Amino acid sequence: QVQVLESGGGLVQAGGSLRLSCAASGRIFNIRDMGWHRQAPGKQRELVARITAGGDIKYADSVKGRFNISRHNAENTVSLEMKSLKSEDTGVYYCNAQVVEDFWDTARDYWGQGTQVTVSS
């Protein structure tokens, strides 16, 4: 099986910074996309940033220029550096990994439990 574990959330004042980290472990042949989604209270989960194994990146318009996603393929990790945080960035941040468990297999989505990010204004 595959486990996805996030860390690094917390409480920060508006304008501050936080770094989220995520590690996938277990039965992993390779990982396609890795990314971060968030869910604010009363809202649907939305994509924040995604990075392919080859390094192609997509950001939500609301975080462009403030957030930076990176990954370390050999260690199956992905990080999200968040700067100039705003109150609207508050939410639970979930790490996602598209994992291929065997060479003949297709990719499956795995999610972490989520980490809370709270930005106070």
Side-chain angles (χ1 to χ4, degrees), residues 44-66:
Q44 289 189 334
R45 190 176 298 188
E46 62 175 358
L47 173 70
V48 175
R50 184 176 64 226
I51 182 168
T52 69
D56 293 327
I57 292 173
K58 176 179 175 66
Y59 292 105
D61 288 342
S62 60
V63 307
K64 285 180 181 177
R66 301 188 297 120

Side-chain angles (χ1 to χ4, degrees), residues 7-28:
S7 62
L11 173 64
V12 64
Q13 289 188 333
S17 301
L18 276 176
R19 180 181 177 87
L20 305 182
S21 298
C22 170
S25 62
R27 189 179 180 87
I28 298 172

Side-chain angles (χ1 to χ4, degrees), residues 22-105:
C22 170
S25 62
R27 189 179 180 87
I28 298 172
F29 177 69
N30 64 41
I31 301 178
R32 303 285 173 82
D33 292 5
M34 297 187 81
W36 293 91
H37 293 67
R38 69 186 177 193
Q39 187 164 19
K43 295 187 177 181
Q44 289 189 334
R45 190 176 298 188
E46 62 175 358
L47 173 70
V48 175
R50 184 176 64 226
I51 182 168
T52 69
D56 293 327
I57 292 173
K58 176 179 175 66
Y59 292 105
D61 288 342
S62 60
V63 307
K64 285 180 181 177
R66 301 188 297 120
F67 290 13
N68 182 63
I69 188 171
S70 59
R71 70 185 276 180
H72 194 303
N73 289 336
E75 296 181 354
N76 296 325
T77 59
V78 63
S79 298
L80 185 69
E81 190 76 37
M82 305 184 292
K83 298 180 179 180
S84 302
L85 283 160
K86 305 175 182 180
S87 57
E88 51 262 44
D89 294 316
T90 294
V92 179
Y93 283 67
Y94 297 91
C95 178
N96 167 254
Q98 295 179 345
V99 178
V100 178
E101 296 179 44
D102 290 289
F103 73 90
W104 66 82
D105 209 352

